[in-house]
Amino acid sequence: MTRYSALSLIRQGFAGHTGWSRAWRDAAPQDHYDVVIVGGGGHGLATAYYLARNHGLTRVAVLEKGWLGGGNVGRNTTIVRSNYLLDANAAFYEHGLKLWEGLSRDLNFNVMLSPRGVLNLAHTDAQMESFARRGNAMRLNGIDADLVDLPSIRRLAPLLDTSAEARFPVVGGLIQRRAGTARHDAVAWGYARAADALGVDLIQGCEVTAIERDGTGAVTGVETTRGRIGCEKVGLCVAGHTTQLADMVDLRLPIESHVLQAMVTEPVKPCLDTVVTSGAAHCYISQTDKGELVFGGDLDGYPSYAQRGETALIEHVCAAAVALFPAFSRLRLMRTWGGIMDMTMDGSPIIDKTPVPGLYLNGGWCYGGFKATPASGWCFAHTIAHDHPHPLVEPFALDRFARGATLDEKGVGPTPVLH
Amino acid sequence: MMLIPCPWCGPRPRVEFSYGGPADRARPADDAPLEDWTRYVYERDNPKGAARELWRHGAGCRQWFVLERDTVTHAVAASHPLPGAEVAP
Ligand SMILES: Cc1cc2nc3c(=O)[nH]c(=O)nc-3n(C[C@H](O)[C@H](O)[C@H](O)COP(=O)(O)OP(=O)(O)OC[C@H]3O[C@@H](n4cnc5c(N)ncnc54)[C@H](O)[C@@H]3O)c2cc1C
Ligand SMILES: [Zn+2]
């Protein structure tokens, strides 16, 4: 593997960029691995990397039915943050944000982390009160948070309609300045390249169709479209298809799959250098390095595995974006797409062992799994290697629902579309 | 846009309706064991393909009904009034 550096870039510049080596091998499946990770999205690749880097496990394969990074890791709106109210979520996502801050160096791959701040808009005094509560909770957990008033918001986002006549009048906001965005493809590629360099086999076009078990019920391997692969342990990182994999071992989960859409406008000159979100308008907006404005909103609202959504939601999100930023009404929408989200019954993820010996579960990421990628891989690798949950993910146990210990940030109960 | 056949109003645009969870879930007895309640409240079949779901025509007749639908193609197969509501208006 060529190490990426300013020097290698200059050298390749003179050589016409003909000397770059492949970023990772096109591995063929071997007969047996210590650990098989199902799913080559962000979480699967990060888990494989940390299994090798932190735990010295290198007889590891990542099996991906499509191509690496073709799932949600390449479809999200790239927001990275740790502005959570509940202690368990705050500790986990803050561990993640700290990993993000050193990730480009760690992976020797520029993930283009841009800590441009994530600004949540408040439109009512009651919302300001709840933001003050969340901001204080964050600060008590050692996470940066600032409550901001209207003049500060005008400086942060000059194009935002902050007039009293606005469709959604703004009264203030909460900002986490260390939060921001990262290049989603680079995260997948960076983890893939770094895992491969440590000996992990990345196997694409390889769908897992069954999980093989012995007489005691313990995992002994997987059936795939590229043949049987034996292994001691299987880790599931399949996002929207978690239920289908769990069905293979008759494990019922508190998960419903829904489609979440996003969209971008044509590129324009830099005009928005922070991420702006409005819960009331059901919309969040940022500008990419290429200049496109990215809009995201809510789920379409009913279970779907279609990986595309309906126009009514697109219209709703665009209407909200234009209400917040009237200047954007003149832009044309360039692309829309959708990804299948594994929505849990409390809006928080699951990282745990399962009742099946040798089978480990990572899923239920809802809207927010991209920012979790480093922390999820870190903690899931620990859970697999030690056959015991990492302390940071103990609250994300599968049996928390039976125990009544749900982690419901919004307090809306077991209605996935509302999380 | 997806057209949903309300058993009472006929085919109407999707945005008039909201999804209300899977159909056919039997509510456990009040004194049923905790596992039954966990299964009922939290666990979902989450089918990929044919599904039977509860929907409500909120911007129309405001009735709940059962919708048979495919979660991959979004094709609608049929809709039925809830048991006990079979009498046409
Ligand atoms: C529109 C949109 C916007 C989002 N915005 C944000 C955001 O701003 N911030 C944020 O933090 N999160 C966001 N998310 C959520 C985030 O993208 C996901 O939670 C996260 O990417 C899921 O983890 P992953 O990367 O491992 O998933 P994926 O990339 O989906 O990886 C799962 C992989 O498993 C593979 N797979 C499935 N079944 C099998 C099988 N049987 N055998 C082999 N492989 C299989 C799939 O092909 C897929 O590649 C967004 C998601 C969407 C769709
Ligand atoms: Zn009706």
Side-chain angles (χ1 to χ4, degrees):
Chain A
M1 183 185 87
T2 335
R3 240 193 106 69
Y4 297 151
S5 65
L7 191 66
S8 67
L9 190 61
I10 293 165
R11 224 182 252 141
Q12 284 300 324
F14 282 112
H17 293 288
T18 50
W20 295 112
S21 55
R22 285 185 70 110
W24 59 82
R25 294 165 296 130
D26 185 18
Q30 297 174 28
D31 292 342
H32 195 273
Y33 291 94
D34 293 340
V35 183
V36 158
I37 301 295
V38 189
H43 293 236
L45 294 166
T47 303
Y49 170 66
Y50 291 118
L51 276 171
R53 175 188 181 274
N54 294 358
H55 306 282
L57 290 169
T58 54
R59 293 191 42 80
V60 174
V62 177
L63 311 183
E64 165 55 48
K65 72 173 172 188
W67 66 95
L68 295 185
N72 289 344
V73 70
R75 294 167 184 268
N76 60 71
T77 44
T78 77
I79 300 167
V80 168
R81 57 188 174 86
S82 61
N83 54 358
Y84 282 80
L85 171 73
L86 302 177
D87 290 348
N89 281 330
F92 173 78
Y93 287 104
E94 178 59 12
H95 178 64
L97 194 53
K98 292 210 172 97
L99 289 173
W100 276 110
E101 286 164 348
L103 198 58
S104 294
R105 186 173 293 264
D106 184 15
L107 298 180
N108 180 232
F109 202 102
N110 189 358
V111 300
M112 296 165 80
L113 179 71
S114 165
R116 58 182 67 185
V118 170
L119 171 66
N120 307 138
L121 298 177
H123 303 281
T124 63
D125 293 342
Q127 236 181 333
M128 273 312 264
E129 298 289 334
S130 82
F131 281 3
R133 174 172 177 242
R134 179 153 55 89
N136 284 332
M138 287 166 63
R139 284 176 162 233
L140 285 171
N141 278 316
I143 300 170
D144 71 301
D146 287 313
L147 214 52
V148 285
D149 59 8
L150 206 48
S152 321
I153 288 182
R154 291 196 175 112
R155 277 194 301 279
L156 283 163
L159 288 181
L160 182 71
D161 185 356
T162 51
S163 67
E165 296 74 43
R167 171 69 184 81
F168 300 101
V170 177
V171 300
L174 181 69
I175 187 167
Q176 183 183 18
R177 296 183 201 273
R178 283 165 58 239
T181 58
R183 168 95 198 272
H184 48 13
D185 298 320
V187 174
W189 299 335
Y191 273 118
R193 174 169 166 274
D196 173 87
L198 293 174
V200 171
D201 281 355
L202 308 174
I203 302 165
Q204 309 187 54
C206 182
E207 177 171 356
V208 171
T209 52
I211 296 172
E212 184 190 275
R213 300 159 73 186
D214 65 15
T216 68
V219 165
T220 53
V222 290
E223 291 292 343
T224 79
T225 48
R226 293 181 68 175
R228 176 195 179 269
I229 300 174
C231 61
E232 314 294 316
K233 296 177 175 181
V234 170
L236 303 181
C237 296
V238 293
H241 284 84
T242 304
T243 298
Q244 282 65 46
L245 273 290
D247 280 349
M248 294 175 187
V249 294
D250 298 321
L251 182 65
R252 277 172 60 90
L253 296 177
I255 287 180
E256 214 171 69
S257 295
H258 286 260
V259 66
L260 179 65
Q261 300 192 70
M263 56 216 79
V264 291
T265 68
E266 59 191 316
V268 287
K269 288 195 172 164
C271 61
L272 179 65
D273 63 358
T274 184
V275 181
V276 176
T277 83
S278 166
H282 303 289
C283 182
Y284 54 93
I285 305 175
S286 64
Q287 188 171 26
T288 69
D289 295 331
K290 279 187 286 184
E292 307 146 331
L293 289 150
V294 187
F295 302 160
D298 285 345
L299 300 171
D300 278 17
Y302 48 90
S304 174
Y305 288 91
Q307 229 165 223
R308 61 184 153 71
E310 61 178 33
T311 44
L313 196 284
I314 298 170
E315 197 178 338
H316 178 91
V317 170
C318 290
V322 166
L324 295 168
F325 292 92
F328 296 170
S329 67
R330 299 179 58 186
L331 296 178
R332 276 165 298 193
L333 210 58
M334 213 167 51
R335 285 194 309 280
T336 76
W337 63 92
I340 304 306
M341 322 296 304
D342 35 344
M343 303 298 298
T344 57
M345 296 296 143
D346 62 357
S348 295
I350 300 163
I351 298 187
D352 203 355
K353 301 165 61 168
T354 70
V356 176
L359 183 68
Y360 303 83
L361 175 64
N362 173 319
W365 288 100
C366 304
Y367 286 40
F370 177 65
K371 65 178 166 306
T373 306
S376 161
W378 184 282
C379 296
F380 194 42
H382 177 109
T383 304
I384 295 172
H386 294 275
D387 192 36
H388 190 79
H390 186 284
L392 279 174
V393 296
E394 273 168 12
F396 300 154
L398 180 54
D399 71 356
R400 70 176 182 269
F401 299 92
R403 285 187 283 116
T406 54
L407 283 170
D408 192 339
E409 280 279 328
K410 283 194 179 171
V412 295
T415 306
V417 286
L418 298 181
H419 287 295
Chain B
M1 183 181 298
M2 188 151 88
L3 281 181
I4 293 190
C6 171
W8 311 110
C9 313
R12 304 289 308 166
R14 206 292 298 167
V15 287
E16 293 184 6
F17 299 82
S18 51
Y19 164 73
D24 313 317
R25 282 192 303 155
R27 186 185 169 91
D30 286 354
D31 57 356
L34 190 61
E35 302 80 75
D36 293 6
W37 277 101
T38 304
R39 200 168 304 133
Y40 173 71
V41 175
Y42 294 115
E43 292 176 3
R44 299 286 186 271
D45 290 338
N46 194 21
K48 181 175 181 177
R52 276 172 60 86
E53 300 169 336
L54 288 176
W55 283 71
R56 181 171 178 269
H57 194 186
C61 64
R62 304 175 69 187
Q63 295 293 312
W64 285 97
F65 61 93
V66 174
L67 185 66
E68 289 182 32
R69 193 177 68 86
D70 188 298
T71 58
V72 181
T73 63
H74 291 185
V76 173
S79 65
H80 314 281
L82 288 182
E86 282 93 351
V87 190

